[in-house]
Amino acid sequence: MAGIAGVVHDDESGYGGNRVQPFASTPRPSKTERGKRDSSALSRILGLDELVSLNVWRASLAEVFGTATLVFAMDTIVISSYETQTKTPNLIMATLIALTVTILLLATFPISGGHINPVITLSAMFTGLITVSRAAIYILAQCIGGILGALALKAVVNSTIEQTFSLGGCTLNIVAPGPNGPVVVGLETGQGLWLEIICTFVFLFSSIWIAFDRRQAMALGRVVFCSIIGLVVGLLVFISTTVTATKGYAGVGMNPARCLGPALVRGGHLWKGHWVFWAGPVIASVAFSLYTKIIPREHLIGAESK
């Protein structure tokens, strides 16, 4: 499952202070001017000054605790949904995840922009909304948060629950008892990778774009676009677990940090195919950023209406 966030510019947050402009419209400069501009553009893209910015590191704390809370809550929801005697555990799980994501977005957005997911941070970096340095700090914070959330869950569940549900971590398949001995049940690696790519791209295209586009985000309001993002995440979780309906597959991840925490804390079979939960979302983030580059110029992020 995934954690997500809006990244629209907000004058009240520390997030919008060093925005990189991915597109520029200026007269053709001389070679000297072009060299200076290229150097300046590279400096803005890298944002090395943010590596030592106290405000950025303070903002990253929201990413740490936001991701930790997301992992703890989501993994608890996964475990409790399947542990509950109900015919539709995936529907209950998707609904609760949608609510959880919405609440966490609203809590972290004013401080850090509310990413709590490397996918959002990478997409924001690729589209020029944040610098490379800030992206690196945020992703580090999210991974630390994912580990803390998994450790917190491990501390409160008994060993039987931990082993049965693998701390609610991201899995493609598991080893289960069969009539002639243990058998591997779940999805093939290729299927899991395509699900990660497709679902993550749909997630970015259908909801995160609203948060990236300043005009849409301001028109809808913070509560509405955070709710839309949460709803889309819940729908994709429901779709991925319903379409596959395969025991051993935990559903689409869309959040590498959320998958990393349980894998490091629980270990074992959670590492099998773990790369899929990183490669798929990263590929989707690149594809999404390419989409933002080829759409008509008047629809670019942050463009002002005339």
Side-chain angles (χ1 to χ4, degrees), residues 151-184:
L151 285 171
L153 182 60
K154 181 180 174 65
V156 299
V157 299
N158 60 50
S159 58
T160 302
I161 293 291
E162 179 185 342
Q163 293 174 7
T164 302
F165 296 99
S166 302
L167 285 180
C170 304
T171 59
L172 292 176
N173 47 57
I174 59 172
V175 177
N180 300 315
V183 295
V184 177

Side-chain angles (χ1 to χ4, degrees), residues 95 106 137 154 163 175 194 229 266 282 284:
T95 302
L106 291 171
I137 292 171
K154 181 180 174 65
Q163 293 174 7
V175 177
W194 275 112
I229 295 172
R266 180 74 176 87
V282 170

Side-chain angles (χ1 to χ4, degrees), residues 98-242:
L99 291 172
T100 300
V101 166
T102 300
I103 293 169
L104 288 177
L105 292 186
L106 291 171
T108 57
F109 176 83
I111 304 170
S112 65
H115 294 204
I116 55 179
N117 185 344
V119 168
I120 310 307
T121 302
L122 285 174
S123 297
M125 182 188 74
F126 290 146
T127 53
L129 287 174
I130 64 173
T131 65
V132 173
S133 296
R134 185 181 289 255
I137 292 171
Y138 275 16
I139 291 174
L140 174 63
Q142 291 153 4
C143 289
I144 293 173
I147 297 169
L148 292 177
L151 285 171
L153 182 60
K154 181 180 174 65
V156 299
V157 299
N158 60 50
S159 58
T160 302
I161 293 291
E162 179 185 342
Q163 293 174 7
T164 302
F165 296 99
S166 302
L167 285 180
C170 304
T171 59
L172 292 176
N173 47 57
I174 59 172
V175 177
N180 300 315
V183 295
V184 177
V185 294
L187 291 186
E188 294 181 359
T189 302
Q191 290 176 289
L193 180 61
W194 275 112
L195 271 170
E196 288 297 319
I197 295 173
I198 294 171
C199 289
T200 304
F201 183 82
V202 170
F203 160 60
L204 294 170
F205 175 79
S206 61
S207 63
I208 294 303
W209 178 249
I210 295 175
F212 279 8
D213 188 335
R214 184 179 183 184
R215 295 163 301 175
Q216 291 191 75
M218 290 182 68
L220 292 172
R222 189 180 303 175
V223 174
V224 174
F225 78 71
C226 285
S227 299
I228 291 173
I229 295 172
L231 178 61
V232 170
V233 172
L235 285 173
L236 290 172
V237 169
F238 177 76
I239 291 171
S240 68
T241 53
T242 303

